Each structure stands twice: as structure tokens, then as C-alpha cells.
Amino acid sequence: SQKIEQNSEALNIQEGKTATLTCNYTNYSPAYLQWYRQDPGRGPVFLLLIRENEKEKRKERLKVTFDTTLKQSLFHITASQPADSATYLCALAKNSGYALNFGKGTSLLVTP
Amino acid sequence: GAVVSQHPSRVICKSGTSVKIECRSLDFQATTMFWYRQFPKQSLMLMATSNEGSKATYEQGVEKDKFLINHASLTLSTLTVTSAHPEDSSFYICSARDAAEASNQPQHFGDGTRLSIL
């Protein structure tokens, strides 16, 4: 069956450090992978999409890598800030159509 | 940017009540909308795909008679939880695809509806 696994443990880091979150998947052949941010009681907010032929993508302090051989994506936040504290979700399209499957998310806490 | 409005944001009602949740795309047309359910500390689970002008496609294990979906226009999909019971209490989130965007573009999510059945 298809699985998306993210760090189950919460990630606590100090302000200014780089946060690295992991997403591993099985039984997918994704054309692209997406990362979303979710704050408590809110819907997910899109952050980045990376295509299968892209090794790395950046947006301001965010960087995503995509290794289709390892079936893994890494999500980095550099110079982290307390405002980056949230749950980060990895998402892949289901095999048919455009609906998304999500990982459980990794909770990130950035402390001053 | 594309905005999806979900209403209401919170509902508390008695067991046996039917509850309707609306999902609107405010500045784009959405031929396809999706309904997800999220339990505490769990992932978003896809319930159904809502297609404008046709019947919704439900995921395995989701009762179509329990969760009625209507997508009557290009900007509105509704989810009705019929005869809701405490086990239906959850966070319901909708998302929409912009019909004008390519298939590999991200979805736009509403802010969710917290449903609590007493």
C-alpha cells in the first residue's frame, strides 16, 4: 500500500538554526511532491512543489530536495524563526486524479 | 492569490443533527474540489472528490449516504454530514483546484470546519 512517512517526533530547534524535515514514501511514482504548512486549527498552506526532474528547489529561506531513487524529500528552513513553528506536511498525488495523500506531518518548534 | 472560503469555521450540535459545510472558491473557478477529514495529531485523510455537475467520488470506507456532497456550481461545493454522531466529530477541510491551472499545481485549502457532536 502507499505510504508517506514523516519524522514522527516533534522537532525542537533554536532560533537561527537550520531545521531539516524528512519525508519518505513507498509505492508511489510521483511526478511531483509538495510541502505544506499547517498551523493549529487552520487549513494547510502551500509552500513548495518540486518535480521529479528537479533535485532541489528554493524559496527564500526554504529549500526542498527530491531524490526519487531514495524515495525521499528533505525540507530545510534556514535561519529559523519562532514564527516558523508549525506542522509541516508532505503530500503526494494519488495515482489517479489530482487528490493528495498527506503524511502525518512533523511538528516544528523554534525557540528564541 | 487564490482563496478558498469554508463556512462555518466551527459547529457544535446535538447527536442526530445534519450539518452542512460550504466550500467556496472566491476568485477562481474550481471544477474539482476535495474534502478531507483530520483527527487530532493525524494526517489529512481524503474523503471524496467533488466534481462540478457530476457525482462525487468517495474513498473506500467513506459512506456516501452519510456524507452527502453537492458541487452545483464552479465556485461552491457542500458537504452535509447527515444524522451526525459523536464519532463524526472531526476537523473537515476542503480544497479546490483552479480549473485554469495545470494539473501539477498545488491545491488551495480552506481553513477547515471544527465539527463537535454532543
Side-chain angles (χ1 to χ4, degrees):
Chain A
S1 61
Q2 293 179 322
K3 286 185 182 176
I4 303 173
E5 295 180 349
Q6 297 186 244
N7 314 56
S8 57
E9 301 289 327
L11 183 61
N12 292 350
I13 64 167
Q14 199 172 15
E15 182 176 10
K17 302 290 186 185
T18 296
T20 298
L21 285 66
T22 304
C23 173
N24 295 295
Y25 59 90
T26 54
N27 293 321
Y28 283 93
S29 297
Y32 53 92
L33 180 146
Q34 302 181 37
W35 284 89
Y36 288 80
R37 168 183 172 143
Q38 187 177 25
D39 290 284
R42 307 293 297 272
V45 174
F46 171 74
L47 296 175
L48 279 168
L49 180 152
I50 186 165
R51 294 178 173 76
E52 61 179 335
N53 60 350
E54 297 174 315
K55 290 267 192 288
E56 178 180 299
K57 197 140 186 196
R58 291 174 186 262
K59 179 183 175 183
E60 299 173 354
R61 294 185 294 109
L62 309 180
K63 185 180 84 170
V64 171
T65 63
F66 193 15
D67 188 327
T68 55
T69 301
L70 287 179
K71 298 188 185 299
Q72 179 181 81
S73 175
L74 298 179
F75 177 81
H76 307 271
I77 305 176
T78 57
S80 59
Q81 303 167 0
D84 295 327
S85 299
T87 296
Y88 291 86
L89 305 169
C90 169
L92 291 168
K94 287 170 70 73
N95 288 336
S96 58
Y98 314 112
L100 294 175
N101 281 338
F102 286 85
K104 276 188 181 181
T106 298
S107 175
L108 173 67
L109 179 63
V110 182
T111 52
Chain B
V3 176
V4 173
S5 174
Q6 197 171 332
H7 180 80
S9 58
R10 186 173 183 96
V11 180
I12 303 173
C13 57
K14 293 181 178 179
S15 185
T17 307
S18 290
V19 179
K20 180 186 280 189
I21 303 170
E22 291 186 348
C23 180
R24 293 182 184 272
S25 56
L26 296 188
D27 50 1
F28 65 97
Q29 294 185 329
T31 50
T32 306
M33 291 184 174
F34 306 93
W35 288 96
Y36 296 83
R37 181 167 52 182
Q38 187 177 33
F39 292 106
K41 298 192 184 301
Q42 297 297 313
S43 177
L44 279 78
M45 297 298 296
L46 179 69
M47 298 176 66
T49 300
S50 169
N51 297 297
E52 186 265 336
S54 64
K55 289 183 180 179
T57 303
Y58 290 82
E59 294 300 297
Q60 194 171 14
V62 177
E63 300 174 56
K64 61 179 69 174
D65 294 332
K66 173 78 172 175
F67 300 100
L68 301 179
I69 291 173
N70 184 279
H71 193 159
S73 78
L74 285 172
T75 58
L76 174 65
S77 175
T78 60
L79 169 68
T80 301
V81 183
T82 61
S83 187
H85 292 287
E87 58 267 26
D88 298 321
S89 299
S90 188
F91 191 49
Y92 292 85
I93 307 172
C94 72
S95 70
R97 280 196 65 248
D98 187 336
E101 291 182 344
S103 60
N104 60 1
Q105 292 303 305
Q107 295 175 19
H108 309 289
F109 283 82
D111 255 348
T113 297
R114 174 73 59 194
L115 176 61
S116 301
I117 308 298
L118 306 177

